[in-house]
């Protein structure tokens, strides 16, 4: 075996698993496809639901420092675990990267904490005309460039609320088109005077050559033209687990209770409804702790997976 625990994904959940494992005397290998730990967290300017921290970059820096102090943890940046196979006595990860092609890592257990990635426009059945267009994600927007503009936001995912909280004085009109099933996501921004919410059954973007325009079929059955200066994607996220033995549900997420006994899932990859930094960190710690108990044949009352 290469280590006591394989951790796939270097966000808050994976890093929490590494820190917990180290505190229990377990060796771990953390495989992260990006060039830095907690890369997505570093893009969140304001954090309002994590004790002790108010910014994503500040929290990411603290997490990175904690992992660096974990001597039993070996961090492999820039490497992607493309496949994870679980057997009766071990798990095997196939790892790809600039200096690694088809490398196999083995351990008695693994924690899958690969999180989620931006949902592609083609996966949004209510949105048409976005394919082939170079549309940026809302979290990539420079707030200064939005001043005095009308911004058409496609989808009501949480980055909009984060942007609004980070820049309360920003003079921008946000025209937010979203499907009715995403109404629950609008609660934190629905009272912001800069935001106009438009629940739609379908939205068709205008020609590429024209200024940003769209025609919406609202949930009330009305056809409404939407004009803006800029347009951004804000559709939400989709899970990104490795192939192999990881079990996914109908939504593509990976419920902990359905996994092989040697696999644990943690963080955002578990469920669409519990995608928060604090819950990700807790689930990562819990997953590593359940592995510790399982390796010693101790009952965990269903904690973890499998």
């Amino acid at each position: 075996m290469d280590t006591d625990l394989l951790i796939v994904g270097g966000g808050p959940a994976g890093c929490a698993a590494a820190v917990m494992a180290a505190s229990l005397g377990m060796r771990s290998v953390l495989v992260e496809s990006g060039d830095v730990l907690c890369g997505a967290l570093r893009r969140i300017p304001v954090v309002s639901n994590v004790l002790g921290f108010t910014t994503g970059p500040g929290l990411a820096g603290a997490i990175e420092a904690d992992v660096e102090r974990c001597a039993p943890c070996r961090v492999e940046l820039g490497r992607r675990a493309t496949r994870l196979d679980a057997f009766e006595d071990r798990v095997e990860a196939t790892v790809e990267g600039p200096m690694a092609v088809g490398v196999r890592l083995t351990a008695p257990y693994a924690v899958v904490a690969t999180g989620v990635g931006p949902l592609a426009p083609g996966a949004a059945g209510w949105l048409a005309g976005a394919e082939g267009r170079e549309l940026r994600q809302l979290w990539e927007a420079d707030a200064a460039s939005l001043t005095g503009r009308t911004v058409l936001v496609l989808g009501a995912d949480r980055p909009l609320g984060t942007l609004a909280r980070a820049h309360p004085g920003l003079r921008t009109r946000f025209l937010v088109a979203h499907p009715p099933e995403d109404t629950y996501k609008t609660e934190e921004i629905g009272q912001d005077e800069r935001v106009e919410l438009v629940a739609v059954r379908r939205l068709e973007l205008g020609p590429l050559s024209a200024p940003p325009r769209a025609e919406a079929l609202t949930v009330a059955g009305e056809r409404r033209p939407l004009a803006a200066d800029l347009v951004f994607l804000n559709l939400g996220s989709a899970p990104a687990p490795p192939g192999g033995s990881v079990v996914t549900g109908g939504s593509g997420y990976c419920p902990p209770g359905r996994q092989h006994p040697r696999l644990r899932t943690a963080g955002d990859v578990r469920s669409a409804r519990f995608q928060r930094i604090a819950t990700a960190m807790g689930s990562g710690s819990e997953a590593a702790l359940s592995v510790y108990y399982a390796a010693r044949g101790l009952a965990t009352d269903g904690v973890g997976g499998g």
Side-chain angles (χ1 to χ4, degrees), residues 149-200:
R149 304 287 192 91
T150 294
V151 178
L152 176 59
V153 180
L154 305 178
D157 207 53
R158 297 191 71 239
L160 176 58
T162 300
L163 178 63
R165 291 195 309 273
H167 304 281
L170 183 64
R171 295 182 296 103
T172 300
R173 179 188 178 221
F174 294 103
L175 192 56
V176 183
H178 67 91
E181 58 267 27
D182 284 355
T183 299
Y184 76 96
K185 298 180 180 181
T186 67
E187 292 180 356
E188 67 175 318
I189 45 91
Q191 302 304 314
D192 193 315
E193 295 180 351
R194 299 168 294 178
V195 174
E196 180 182 354
L197 298 169
V198 183
V200 303

Side-chain angles (χ1 to χ4, degrees), residues 1 3-9 13-14 17-18 21 26-31 81 83-95 105-114 242-243 245-247 254 256 259-266 269 283-284 286-292 294-295 303-306:
M1 302 283 184
T3 188
D4 299 320
L5 178 64
L6 282 172
I7 303 170
V8 183
M26 298 171 62
R27 299 173 302 138
S28 65
V29 174
L30 189 158
V31 179
R83 186 176 179 87
L84 193 61
D85 295 303
F87 303 96
E88 183 177 351
D89 61 341
R90 70 193 187 283
V91 292
E92 293 185 0
T94 302
V95 178
L105 297 175
T106 62
Y109 297 91
V111 172
V112 179
T114 47
S245 299
V246 181
V247 177
C254 310
Q259 304 306 318
H260 188 281
R262 293 195 174 274
L263 294 178
R264 305 290 188 272
T265 57
V269 77
S283 69
E286 192 175 82
L289 188 57
S290 74
V291 165
Y292 174 80
V303 171

Side-chain angles (χ1 to χ4, degrees), residues 10-281:
C15 290
V19 171
M20 176 60 78
S23 76
L24 298 169
M26 298 171 62
R27 299 173 302 138
S28 65
V29 174
L30 189 158
V31 179
E32 163 55 37
S33 60
D35 57 2
V36 67
L37 295 176
C38 296
L41 180 55
R42 296 172 193 271
R43 300 193 297 262
I44 301 176
V46 174
V47 173
S48 59
N49 56 8
V50 179
L51 295 173
F53 290 89
T54 58
T55 71
L59 177 56
I63 292 173
E64 185 177 46
D66 284 343
V67 173
E68 288 177 351
R69 286 192 288 268
C70 295
C73 176
R74 187 176 93 229
V75 177
E76 297 285 346
L77 296 176
R79 296 191 176 186
R80 181 182 300 276
T82 57
R83 186 176 179 87
L84 193 61
D85 295 303
F87 303 96
E88 183 177 351
D89 61 341
R90 70 193 187 283
V91 292
E92 293 185 0
T94 302
V95 178
E96 309 284 347
M99 303 298 292
V101 179
V103 171
R104 301 283 282 182
L105 297 175
T106 62
Y109 297 91
V111 172
V112 179
T114 47
V116 294
L119 193 68
W126 57 275
L127 177 61
E131 294 80 2
R133 304 177 76 144
E134 295 183 2
L135 298 176
R136 297 172 61 196
Q137 299 291 334
L138 184 63
W139 50 260
E140 296 177 313
D142 175 20
S145 69
L146 307 183
T147 300
R149 304 287 192 91
T150 294
V151 178
L152 176 59
V153 180
L154 305 178
D157 207 53
R158 297 191 71 239
L160 176 58
T162 300
L163 178 63
R165 291 195 309 273
H167 304 281
L170 183 64
R171 295 182 296 103
T172 300
R173 179 188 178 221
F174 294 103
L175 192 56
V176 183
H178 67 91
E181 58 267 27
D182 284 355
T183 299
Y184 76 96
K185 298 180 180 181
T186 67
E187 292 180 356
E188 67 175 318
I189 45 91
Q191 302 304 314
D192 193 315
E193 295 180 351
R194 299 168 294 178
V195 174
E196 180 182 354
L197 298 169
V198 183
V200 303
R201 294 178 182 173
R202 185 171 177 80
L203 183 140
E204 178 83 35
L205 287 176
L208 284 169
S209 58
R213 296 184 64 87
E215 182 174 274
L217 175 62
T218 71
V219 293
E222 302 173 343
R223 292 198 173 275
R224 177 181 170 181
L226 302 176
D229 302 304
L230 300 168
V231 59
F232 287 93
L233 293 173
N234 190 40
L235 299 174
S237 304
S245 299
V246 181
V247 177
T248 59
S251 62
Y253 287 89
C254 310
R258 296 183 58 187
Q259 304 306 318
H260 188 281
R262 293 195 174 274
L263 294 178
R264 305 290 188 272
T265 57
D268 291 356
V269 77
R270 298 171 303 158
S271 165
R273 294 300 175 91
F274 293 96
Q275 293 185 1
R276 298 292 188 273
I277 299 165
T279 57
M281 294 169 69

